[in-house]
Amino acid sequence: MKSLKEKFNTCNEMTNFSGFAWNDVKKCVECDSKEVIAAYTKRNPNKSYKCGTLFPLFSRLSYVFGVDRANGALGELPDEADRALP
């Protein structure tokens, strides 16, 4: 189960990275160019899914693991949250 979750998370992350897209017919992540793949693998060298690899469980696993992930972009510290109160 852990390896499936890692594979799913990597696949989901790739689809959110510019230049990658999910192909529902082929059931894999596709990429625009080799430069995009090189940039992604340089940024994320130890990922468990490679672009173009068949992953037919992705759609089903999106229901199990969900596709929404916290990224900290809207996070705030407790003292910052207190200032927002009237």
Side-chain angles (χ1 to χ4, degrees), residues 10-63:
T10 302
C11 188
N12 187 47
E13 185 179 290
M14 287 175 96
T15 60
N16 293 325
F17 194 84
S18 181
F20 291 97
W22 176 254
N23 183 326
D24 204 34
V25 175
K26 293 181 181 178
K27 305 292 184 194
C28 67
V29 175
E30 292 187 333
C31 183
D32 291 342
S33 68
K34 291 181 180 182
E35 291 82 19
V36 172
I37 294 172
Y40 180 81
T41 54
K42 183 178 180 182
R43 185 175 170 188
N44 306 295
N46 298 321
K47 294 300 182 176
S48 58
Y49 177 80
K50 302 295 180 204
C51 187
T53 305
L54 182 67
F55 190 35
L57 294 175
F58 180 73
S59 298
R60 288 184 176 182
L61 291 175
S62 65
Y63 291 111

